[in-house]
Amino acid sequence: QVQLAESGGGLVQAGGSLRLSCAASGRTFSSYVMGWFRQAPGKEREFVATIYWSGGSTYYGDSVKGRFTISRDNAKNTVYLQMNSLKPEDTAVYYCAAPASPSGGLRTREYEYAYWGQGTQVTVSS
């Protein structure tokens, strides 16, 4: 059974940093694209970042470009999201996601992902 478990969320002041982790189990995701999404209260889920299986290619949503960095450690079956210069509008539940198969390139749409974690809350105070 595939499971994705996010951690690292919390309360931080504007301008601060957090590092989220997503540990995968039940399958080796070293050959899979992985992604991060977020959902703020009353809003639709939003794409944040995605990373190719090798870590050599990444893509970010416009609202986080230059501030967030996605990375991965395939030996640990873990994906990370380093978030710097946080803003109150970054407040949301953050989810990591994995597709059903390793084929294909970077993915930015929800429907392209089959497995989702339970989410971790990030709250940025002003």
Side-chain angles (χ1 to χ4, degrees):
Q1 182 180 359
V2 173
Q3 287 190 327
L4 302 176
E6 302 95 337
S7 61
L11 174 64
V12 64
Q13 289 188 334
S17 298
L18 282 175
R19 188 195 195 201
L20 306 183
S21 299
C22 172
S25 60
R27 180 180 296 180
T28 299
F29 283 98
S30 58
S31 58
Y32 286 66
V33 166
M34 298 289 290
W36 284 96
F37 288 76
R38 68 185 182 185
Q39 188 167 21
K43 295 188 176 181
E44 294 186 351
R45 195 170 294 187
E46 174 190 19
F47 165 75
V48 175
T50 181
I51 185 167
Y52 198 54
W53 69 269
S54 65
S57 183
T58 58
Y59 187 76
Y60 298 90
D62 288 342
S63 60
V64 306
K65 279 180 184 176
R67 300 187 298 122
F68 291 12
T69 303
I70 188 172
S71 62
R72 65 191 299 160
D73 184 338
N74 286 336
K76 296 182 178 179
N77 225 20
T78 300
V79 179
Y80 305 98
L81 185 68
Q82 177 67 43
M83 306 185 296
N84 298 329
S85 302
L86 283 161
K87 305 174 182 180
E89 51 263 44
D90 293 319
T91 296
V93 177
Y94 283 71
Y95 300 90
C96 72
S101 70
S103 61
L106 297 176
R107 306 172 191 223
T108 64
R109 296 176 176 83
E110 282 188 71
Y111 70 83
E112 297 178 296
Y113 291 88
Y115 303 104
W116 295 83
Q118 82 288 350
T120 185
Q121 176 71 47
V122 171
T123 302
V124 184
S125 63
S126 58

